[in-house]
Amino acid sequence: MYHRGVRLLLASRSPRRAELLAAAGFEFDVEPTDVDERWLSAEAPRAYVTRLAEAKTAVVAARRP
């Protein structure tokens, strides 16, 4: 559940993702990362999105201790 007291952070350069979040009424900051988003051989879709989310989280967390 979205809590208006918590500011979301979009760790993506995707203008479409930002557009969708804004259209849904979310307030957020954008802080893109340079995480390699290439799909690994034989990687399941769930593993792929989990790996990217965790990698992007780690990059942003290192910038904002």
Side-chain angles (χ1 to χ4, degrees), residues 17-56:
R17 285 196 181 105
E19 180 183 319
L20 289 169
L21 284 172
F26 293 100
E27 294 182 16
F28 58 95
D29 296 318
V30 178
E31 189 164 334
T33 62
D34 290 324
V35 170
D36 183 354
E37 295 188 19
R38 287 180 286 188
W39 204 296
L40 300 178
S41 177
E43 187 172 31
R46 182 179 298 236
Y48 170 72
V49 297
T50 300
R51 177 176 57 83
L52 291 185
E54 289 174 348
K56 289 180 177 191

